[in-house]
Amino acid sequence: MVDVGPLQAPVAPGQPDSTTMWAGEDGARAGRRERIVLALLAALVVIGLALALYDPRLFRMYTSEEGPIENLTVVMLLGGAWVCFRRAWRLRRGRRVLFLAATVLLGVLFVGAAGEELSWGQRLIGFAAPEFFRQHSAQREANIHNLVVKGVKINRLVFGSGLLIAVLVYCSVLPVGYPRWPWLRRMADSLAVPVPRTRHIVWYGLLALIASVTPSRFRWEVLELVSATMFFLITTLPLNAGVFRRRDTA
């Protein structure tokens, strides 16, 4: 696989580099696992593009509800939640309350995203959506992102343009400013914000572009998998990985 970015981003002279705490055998193993996940993700995105070009019906099966793409998206989101909750538990005696609360909150957001993806188990368990969702959901499902309020689709307003802007800021300002601006580095580390590495941004942009040009209205399912996987990887092995390690093992 082509290396699309250095393991560590440059830091300003004289400034501490929190990623040095992640060097060694543990970091090497994590890096190998990350490359495997990226290779599998790239294969799934390319397969999706090929299926959409060859037979739209096959692509619809590929991206169907409870199909392989949706199930893998849920796995990645729950994996991100597991990383956060496990991290908060392991660091409970060595970090401030704000740091731990932010870590748990991120885990809760991962769980919430997975729940939304599964419509909170509606299809899995087989329960009927409450009356409110049957009246206001575009797909009559028990989730928030399909709600339509006064003609406005929540999915398009919050999870579309709003989320896109947030992701663009997160993936552009934070990686650039973290090694250069001490105040931003202190804030990100104190709030337990995983900082994307250069390779994360490159892979995210490349795979998101391929998913976005896939000729099908169901391409967003693939894009959701790309986003879920990349945020799982960013959370697992961020640029500031050192701040998430127990100090007695550093």
PDB file of all heavy atoms in Angstrom, residues 153-168:
ATOM      1  N   LYS A 153     -36.094  18.880   6.183  1.00  0.00           N
ATOM      2  CA  LYS A 153     -35.525  17.580   6.519  1.00  0.00           C
ATOM      3  C   LYS A 153     -34.366  17.760   7.495  1.00  0.00           C
ATOM      4  O   LYS A 153     -33.384  18.431   7.178  1.00  0.00           O
ATOM      5  CB  LYS A 153     -35.043  16.866   5.260  1.00  0.00           C
ATOM      6  CG  LYS A 153     -36.169  16.455   4.314  1.00  0.00           C
ATOM      7  CD  LYS A 153     -35.632  15.668   3.131  1.00  0.00           C
ATOM      8  CE  LYS A 153     -36.762  15.190   2.232  1.00  0.00           C
ATOM      9  NZ  LYS A 153     -36.251  14.415   1.072  1.00  0.00           N
ATOM     10  N   ILE A 154     -34.503  17.159   8.667  1.00  0.00           N
ATOM     11  CA  ILE A 154     -33.445  17.240   9.676  1.00  0.00           C
ATOM     12  C   ILE A 154     -32.152  16.645   9.141  1.00  0.00           C
ATOM     13  O   ILE A 154     -31.053  17.141   9.403  1.00  0.00           O
ATOM     14  CB  ILE A 154     -33.869  16.514  10.963  1.00  0.00           C
ATOM     15  CG1 ILE A 154     -35.135  17.148  11.551  1.00  0.00           C
ATOM     16  CG2 ILE A 154     -32.743  16.535  11.987  1.00  0.00           C
ATOM     17  CD1 ILE A 154     -34.966  18.587  11.951  1.00  0.00           C
ATOM     18  N   ASN A 155     -32.291  15.588   8.353  1.00  0.00           N
ATOM     19  CA  ASN A 155     -31.112  14.924   7.785  1.00  0.00           C
ATOM     20  C   ASN A 155     -30.295  15.879   6.939  1.00  0.00           C
ATOM     21  O   ASN A 155     -29.067  15.908   7.001  1.00  0.00           O
ATOM     22  CB  ASN A 155     -31.556  13.721   6.957  1.00  0.00           C
ATOM     23  CG  ASN A 155     -30.398  12.782   6.635  1.00  0.00           C
ATOM     24  OD1 ASN A 155     -29.359  12.832   7.281  1.00  0.00           O
ATOM     25  ND2 ASN A 155     -30.586  11.941   5.655  1.00  0.00           N
ATOM     26  N   ARG A 156     -30.990  16.692   6.149  1.00  0.00           N
ATOM     27  CA  ARG A 156     -30.294  17.619   5.254  1.00  0.00           C
ATOM     28  C   ARG A 156     -29.753  18.828   6.017  1.00  0.00           C
ATOM     29  O   ARG A 156     -28.664  19.317   5.726  1.00  0.00           O
ATOM     30  CB  ARG A 156     -31.246  18.079   4.154  1.00  0.00           C
ATOM     31  CG  ARG A 156     -30.641  19.032   3.152  1.00  0.00           C
ATOM     32  CD  ARG A 156     -31.600  19.304   2.014  1.00  0.00           C
ATOM     33  NE  ARG A 156     -31.917  18.077   1.282  1.00  0.00           N
ATOM     34  CZ  ARG A 156     -32.786  18.017   0.267  1.00  0.00           C
ATOM     35  NH1 ARG A 156     -33.425  19.119  -0.108  1.00  0.00           N
ATOM     36  NH2 ARG A 156     -33.009  16.879  -0.342  1.00  0.00           N
ATOM     37  N   LEU A 157     -30.507  19.296   7.010  1.00  0.00           N
ATOM     38  CA  LEU A 157     -30.123  20.507   7.732  1.00  0.00           C
ATOM     39  C   LEU A 157     -28.976  20.260   8.707  1.00  0.00           C
ATOM     40  O   LEU A 157     -27.964  20.969   8.694  1.00  0.00           O
ATOM     41  CB  LEU A 157     -31.330  21.066   8.485  1.00  0.00           C
ATOM     42  CG  LEU A 157     -31.088  22.306   9.356  1.00  0.00           C
ATOM     43  CD1 LEU A 157     -30.686  23.474   8.473  1.00  0.00           C
ATOM     44  CD2 LEU A 157     -32.320  22.636  10.170  1.00  0.00           C
ATOM     45  N   VAL A 158     -29.138  19.238   9.563  1.00  0.00           N
ATOM     46  CA  VAL A 158     -28.161  18.993  10.627  1.00  0.00           C
ATOM     47  C   VAL A 158     -27.098  17.998  10.197  1.00  0.00           C
ATOM     48  O   VAL A 158     -25.894  18.249  10.320  1.00  0.00           O
ATOM     49  CB  VAL A 158     -28.872  18.491  11.899  1.00  0.00           C
ATOM     50  CG1 VAL A 158     -27.853  18.184  12.992  1.00  0.00           C
ATOM     51  CG2 VAL A 158     -29.884  19.522  12.378  1.00  0.00           C
ATOM     52  N   PHE A 159     -27.547  16.850   9.672  1.00  0.00           N
ATOM     53  CA  PHE A 159     -26.611  15.787   9.333  1.00  0.00           C
ATOM     54  C   PHE A 159     -26.041  15.940   7.931  1.00  0.00           C
ATOM     55  O   PHE A 159     -25.219  15.144   7.504  1.00  0.00           O
ATOM     56  CB  PHE A 159     -27.298  14.427   9.461  1.00  0.00           C
ATOM     57  CG  PHE A 159     -27.799  14.149  10.857  1.00  0.00           C
ATOM     58  CD1 PHE A 159     -29.115  14.394  11.186  1.00  0.00           C
ATOM     59  CD2 PHE A 159     -26.944  13.664  11.822  1.00  0.00           C
ATOM     60  CE1 PHE A 159     -29.581  14.148  12.469  1.00  0.00           C
ATOM     61  CE2 PHE A 159     -27.392  13.417  13.110  1.00  0.00           C
ATOM     62  CZ  PHE A 159     -28.713  13.657  13.432  1.00  0.00           C
ATOM     63  N   GLY A 160     -26.501  16.965   7.209  1.00  0.00           N
ATOM     64  CA  GLY A 160     -25.973  17.218   5.871  1.00  0.00           C
ATOM     65  C   GLY A 160     -25.002  18.374   5.888  1.00  0.00           C
ATOM     66  O   GLY A 160     -23.818  18.224   6.146  1.00  0.00           O
ATOM     67  N   SER A 161     -25.534  19.579   5.647  1.00  0.00           N
ATOM     68  CA  SER A 161     -24.665  20.758   5.558  1.00  0.00           C
ATOM     69  C   SER A 161     -24.004  21.091   6.885  1.00  0.00           C
ATOM     70  O   SER A 161     -22.816  21.428   6.937  1.00  0.00           O
ATOM     71  CB  SER A 161     -25.493  21.960   5.067  1.00  0.00           C
ATOM     72  OG  SER A 161     -26.603  22.187   5.923  1.00  0.00           O
ATOM     73  N   GLY A 162     -24.753  20.978   7.991  1.00  0.00           N
ATOM     74  CA  GLY A 162     -24.171  21.305   9.297  1.00  0.00           C
ATOM     75  C   GLY A 162     -23.019  20.395   9.657  1.00  0.00           C
ATOM     76  O   GLY A 162     -21.950  20.842  10.089  1.00  0.00           O
ATOM     77  N   LEU A 163     -23.214  19.088   9.478  1.00  0.00           N
ATOM     78  CA  LEU A 163     -22.161  18.132   9.802  1.00  0.00           C
ATOM     79  C   LEU A 163     -20.978  18.265   8.858  1.00  0.00           C
ATOM     80  O   LEU A 163     -19.817  18.110   9.269  1.00  0.00           O
ATOM     81  CB  LEU A 163     -22.727  16.705   9.744  1.00  0.00           C
ATOM     82  CG  LEU A 163     -21.798  15.582  10.205  1.00  0.00           C
ATOM     83  CD1 LEU A 163     -21.368  15.801  11.652  1.00  0.00           C
ATOM     84  CD2 LEU A 163     -22.478  14.225  10.042  1.00  0.00           C
ATOM     85  N   LEU A 164     -21.255  18.554   7.596  1.00  0.00           N
ATOM     86  CA  LEU A 164     -20.176  18.727   6.623  1.00  0.00           C
ATOM     87  C   LEU A 164     -19.259  19.875   7.018  1.00  0.00           C
ATOM     88  O   LEU A 164     -18.028  19.751   6.972  1.00  0.00           O
ATOM     89  CB  LEU A 164     -20.764  18.971   5.229  1.00  0.00           C
ATOM     90  CG  LEU A 164     -19.750  19.267   4.121  1.00  0.00           C
ATOM     91  CD1 LEU A 164     -18.802  18.094   3.934  1.00  0.00           C
ATOM     92  CD2 LEU A 164     -20.477  19.590   2.822  1.00  0.00           C
ATOM     93  N   ILE A 165     -19.849  20.994   7.421  1.00  0.00           N
ATOM     94  CA  ILE A 165     -19.045  22.146   7.844  1.00  0.00           C
ATOM     95  C   ILE A 165     -18.204  21.796   9.071  1.00  0.00           C
ATOM     96  O   ILE A 165     -17.011  22.120   9.141  1.00  0.00           O
ATOM     97  CB  ILE A 165     -19.953  23.349   8.138  1.00  0.00           C
ATOM     98  CG1 ILE A 165     -20.626  23.832   6.846  1.00  0.00           C
ATOM     99  CG2 ILE A 165     -19.167  24.492   8.776  1.00  0.00           C
ATOM    100  CD1 ILE A 165     -21.665  24.909   7.056  1.00  0.00           C
ATOM    101  N   ALA A 166     -18.813  21.105  10.040  1.00  0.00           N
ATOM    102  CA  ALA A 166     -18.089  20.722  11.251  1.00  0.00           C
ATOM    103  C   ALA A 166     -16.922  19.800  10.930  1.00  0.00           C
ATOM    104  O   ALA A 166     -15.816  19.958  11.475  1.00  0.00           O
ATOM    105  CB  ALA A 166     -19.048  20.048  12.232  1.00  0.00           C
ATOM    106  N   VAL A 167     -17.135  18.831  10.034  1.00  0.00           N
ATOM    107  CA  VAL A 167     -16.074  17.893   9.666  1.00  0.00           C
ATOM    108  C   VAL A 167     -14.948  18.612   8.928  1.00  0.00           C
ATOM    109  O   VAL A 167     -13.759  18.342   9.173  1.00  0.00           O
ATOM    110  CB  VAL A 167     -16.648  16.747   8.805  1.00  0.00           C
ATOM    111  CG1 VAL A 167     -15.522  15.915   8.198  1.00  0.00           C
ATOM    112  CG2 VAL A 167     -17.559  15.858   9.638  1.00  0.00           C
ATOM    113  N   LEU A 168     -15.309  19.535   8.043  1.00  0.00           N
ATOM    114  CA  LEU A 168     -14.284  20.271   7.306  1.00  0.00           C
ATOM    115  C   LEU A 168     -13.415  21.111   8.238  1.00  0.00           C
ATOM    116  O   LEU A 168     -12.181  21.152   8.093  1.00  0.00           O
ATOM    117  CB  LEU A 168     -14.939  21.170   6.252  1.00  0.00           C
ATOM    118  CG  LEU A 168     -15.549  20.456   5.038  1.00  0.00           C
ATOM    119  CD1 LEU A 168     -16.255  21.457   4.141  1.00  0.00           C
ATOM    120  CD2 LEU A 168     -14.466  19.705   4.263  1.00  0.00           C
TER     121      LEU A 168
END
